[in-house]
Amino acid sequence: MRSTAPTRGARAAASLLAGAALALAACDGSQATRTWQPTDHDQPVRQQGNAQMPAAPAQSANADMLVSFTWERDCSQCHGPGGRGDGPQAAMVHAPDLTRPEWQDAVTDEQIAAVVTQGRNKMPSFDLPPRTLQGIVRKVRSLRRGGPR
Ligand code: HEC
């Protein structure tokens, strides 16, 4: 696939991290059947020449970083950095508070994953690589008020 040049004021930090994410996906032969496409997130980030990037020494640390980055970029503007439904766009879309123990108790991991991959009403859908999706579900669990169970 041809790369799309970063046309619309690509955020430099986002590009860097997404580059790392792509490198990570490339190392992950077991799971990554499909790499993270720029169109998934409206991020003009795909660059060629990532083969030059050194292999990740600690994949799990990088995977955590990727999840944090995904949360910050894709979720926190609505749900807020800590998931309390207080991101800058929260009021506009009525983003729910994901820290509520009663919600956390009622929802399954599969349901969390399904909302993320399918979207619901004002909640957009996100096409994340399986590992990132799993990490995001863990991240949502970690937001539980009083700490994860
Ligand atoms: C544009 C704002 C927006 C963004 C960005 C967003 N969400 Fe949401 N999210 C919502 C809204 C609004 C709902 C409530 C949807 C509904 O049920 O009507 C929701 C619902 C959810 C739910 C289900 C809550 C429930 O009550 O069942 C989960 C889980 C969730 N979001 C996680 C995420 C994650 C993880 C991300 C990032 C990958 C994300 N959201 C990004 C707005 C957003």
Side-chain angles (χ1 to χ4, degrees):
M1 197 183 87
R2 293 210 37 120
S3 82
T4 323
T7 45
R8 298 179 291 120
R11 284 169 285 179
S15 299
L16 262 177
L17 272 158
L22 286 167
L24 229 185
C27 300
D28 186 5
S30 59
Q31 299 222 29
T33 50
R34 175 185 179 292
T35 48
W36 197 342
Q37 301 296 314
T39 49
D40 291 345
H41 299 295
D42 194 29
Q43 291 281 326
V45 291
R46 194 164 238 269
Q47 294 156 352
Q48 264 142 17
N50 273 327
Q52 302 301 322
M53 283 190 60
Q59 281 221 1
S60 68
N62 280 337
D64 287 351
M65 246 183 59
L66 178 53
V67 168
S68 303
F69 172 63
T70 302
W71 171 265
E72 276 154 38
R73 189 191 58 191
D74 292 340
C75 319
S76 68
Q77 73 266 29
C78 290
H79 292 284
R84 284 188 294 274
D86 56 359
Q89 291 184 47
M92 205 163 64
V93 299
H94 301 294
D97 177 355
L98 303 177
T99 72
R100 286 168 298 132
E102 51 290 6
W103 174 75
Q104 288 273 350
D105 286 344
V107 75
T108 65
D109 288 358
E110 290 71 27
Q111 287 168 332
I112 294 174
V115 171
V116 174
T117 55
Q118 293 159 29
R120 196 204 281 160
N121 302 320
K122 296 263 172 62
M123 161 84 191
S125 63
F126 293 90
D127 189 2
L128 302 174
R131 233 193 229 190
T132 310
L133 180 61
Q134 283 164 26
I136 279 290
V137 170
R138 280 197 308 276
K139 169 76 186 175
V140 169
R141 289 304 190 190
S142 78
L143 300 171
R144 183 193 175 96
R145 199 183 311 141
R149 284 209 313 191

